[in-house]
Amino acid sequence: MLQRYCSLKAPRKLLGRTQLAFLSQTPIIFSSTLSPSPSSLAPRVPISLFKECRSLAAAKRIHQQVLVQGLTFYHLNDVVSVYISCNATCQAIALLERTPPSAAPVSSWNALIQRSVRFSPLHDALHLYYKMKKLGCSPDCYTFPFVIKACGEIPSLRLGGLLFARMTNDFSMRPNAVSLVNVLPGSAALGSLPLGRQVHGFAVRNGLFEDVFVGNALVDMYAKCGVTDEASKVFKRMRERDVVSWNAMVTGYAQAGEFDEALSLFEEMGEENVECNIVTWTAVIAAYAQRERGYEALDVFHKMRNSGLEPNVVTLISLLSGCACVGALPQGKETHCYAIKRLLNMDSMEPGDDLMIMNGLIDMYTKCKELQIARTIFDSVKIEDRNVVTWTAMIGGYAQHGDANEAIDLFSLMMQQTFTSPNAFTISCILMACSHLGALRIGEQVHSYVLRNRFGPSLLFVDNCLIDMYSKSGNVDAARTVFNNMKERNSVSWTSLMAGYGMHGRGADALQIFDQMRGAGLAPDGVTFVVVLYACSHAGMVEHGMRYFNNMKKEFGVVPFVEHYACMVDLLGRAGRLEEAKKLIEDMPMEPTSIVWIALLGACRIHANVELGEYAASRLSRLESQDDGTYILLSNIYAGARRWKDVSNIRSLMQYSGVQKKPGCSWVQGKKGVVTFYAGDWSHPQSQEIYELLSDLIKCIKALGYVPETNFALHDVDDEEKGDFLFEHSEKLALAYAILTSTAGATIRITKNLRVCGDCHTVFTYVSQSVDNEILLRDSSRFHHFKNGSCSCNGYW
């Protein structure tokens, strides 16, 4: 190719092969001065020569050719463009620095600034702008849109406002419609409504508003600045609209969370016979998905396909989100197949698009509880290619629907083996996993990370998760400390702390927080009252609970839902007022659901009311409830009454119906991680020591007055064998292990997945007299703090 270039005629003699070889190996020396010669004497190098350049070496040779022929002035723009196309911006800048301002075209600087906005750190664009001015080259109306866009991305409102002011004050570079169309996205990126309005006013004063492209840019700017009402006014005043106008408005509504308006405008587009493009369809699908109306999103997708349009990456991600929110696994798998056939691994995909789809698939499968498929996809992504969304989707899936331990392990792997930093959503997911496990130590480590790395606007969200974690991990006082230190609180903050106090049986503290919440001007809603009634129930505050329930509607305007009636049935039932609880159910203005009858059945279990328990169980059977808890509660009621034949019938019915009893297990946080025990468990390496210590503890507390409550051994055997069954309960094994491995005075923290056994509760109470440790037991219902022979529940559990 170089030989063909050498055939060009020049005012000097033709370059020979020796000279060419020399030039190809010699470093470029930029001329310090450029003396433009008359165009009549300067033959031009063919433009194809520059267009065909593909490497930096070739670019340097072309530059040498131009220098040798004395054509630098005429080909300066072309040479700069070649260097830019080869990512050799340093050579382009060096060339412009050695060029007199009068000879350096502003278009070359504009090209460099534009490239910097697209590919380089945005501050580089501003440095180029200042360098250009320092060298005496004046910007034009095409320079400022790129600079303002850089200010928007950084962001820098002050600089953006000063670049626009300079542009409008200089008559020689007054912006035209094209300039405004380039400036307005910068204003949108800045989130600068004042600057956007300034541009809008300039457009109106200078007769540029009627341009459809300017109108579209204004609609987009107002929408992205969060003022959709202003965007709508511009949209309605536009004399001419195209599909971009409609798209900007629909997308703006969707992004602002105004989904009803977005969907209404989408329907209006159909009435106006405006042909939707992929942007419109995608915005509507996303709107439905974000409102958790996944099936409507799927319906719109099918209509889009019937119109002949093919989805893009954003469409598929929005569709996967729609499938995830409603658990539409079959449709999610169909979308997965489509992605494999039509998009994944295609050369036409932009960098990062395949990862976005993989992230969407992981999120969809985890929310549809197909964690193994999600993990397979996760593992197929190279560890260096995963971003924070990839990790968060998988960690969140484990935390919400799978194995909390696996979530913690994955988070540890992310922190140790990658350079990916967690975001607020990652932190919330790992705190959720800690809440499920009661893993206080890990939760405290995450809290330390949060304190070292502030999360800005997301900190409120993270703080609320910390309150929940500390409450569910047994340290409600730490939750209160987090609450007290919050600079900003919302209703979730107050409700989470109230729930924490209720969980720990501190009803008076929960009601105090409720009063403070009202004093802060926050109106309680239905969720707040569920928490208040729950707190009253677990603290035995029957009269307080009844007063709040009766005043919900007339004092606070909150109509009681089924959940509130279930709380009241639980409140009355725990207090032994079973007939009142039954009467409340009969007077309900809506049909009682399973949670109401389960609350009554649980109360019947506590107070050994067989007849009413059978009644509640029969109502549950009409609702076709397949919850194992229903069968277990009734079986326990029969066992307590020594009706062993009925116990056997219940178990046979469970087997016939395919209902499996959830195995009870307890876990304790040890020095080397979480240790789990099941009833009669001998799998632990220290089992012999555990059982020996437990035997010694039982002997010790029997001397203090403990008598095994054999009615909790739900087997038709003699009392001695029942004692053996009670001896092997998982929470007792966890307690013995914790005492064996804990230091004196350290708090013992045990979690059980089911309600604690009554005999175990008694054992824990007696053991707390004999050891220096406070024993903290969390079951499926609440927390129990055992210390000095008493429990915080006061019998309400």
Side-chain angles (χ1 to χ4, degrees), residues 286-345:
Y288 276 124
Q290 291 178 43
R291 291 201 67 188
E292 298 190 348
R293 294 168 61 179
Y295 290 110
E296 287 94 333
L298 286 163
D299 183 57
V300 172
F301 176 74
H302 291 309
K303 289 179 180 177
M304 184 197 81
R305 293 294 313 280
N306 292 335
S307 72
L309 286 175
E310 292 293 325
N312 59 22
V313 171
V314 179
T315 316
L316 283 189
I317 292 171
S318 300
L319 187 64
L320 287 170
S321 177
C323 294
C325 70
V326 293
L329 182 61
Q331 292 85 348
K333 287 183 174 180
E334 290 177 10
T335 308
H336 187 179
C337 292
Y338 182 92
I340 292 173
K341 292 178 181 177
R342 305 299 294 269
L343 284 177
L344 287 174
N345 301 316

Side-chain angles (χ1 to χ4, degrees), residues 330-388:
Q331 292 85 348
K333 287 183 174 180
E334 290 177 10
T335 308
H336 187 179
C337 292
Y338 182 92
I340 292 173
K341 292 178 181 177
R342 305 299 294 269
L343 284 177
L344 287 174
N345 301 316
M346 298 289 286
D347 293 337
S348 59
M349 292 185 68
E350 293 290 328
D353 282 356
D354 55 344
L355 181 59
M356 290 172 62
I357 293 176
M358 300 294 264
N359 291 345
L361 287 168
I362 294 170
D363 180 67
M364 183 274 295
Y365 280 117
T366 57
K367 289 179 179 174
C368 291
K369 301 181 182 180
E370 290 287 346
L371 293 170
Q372 189 55 54
I373 300 176
R375 185 57 188 263
T376 301
I377 297 171
F378 177 85
D379 290 338
S380 71
V381 181
K382 294 179 181 178
I383 193 167
E384 61 269 19
D385 292 338
R386 298 171 192 163
N387 60 14
V388 66

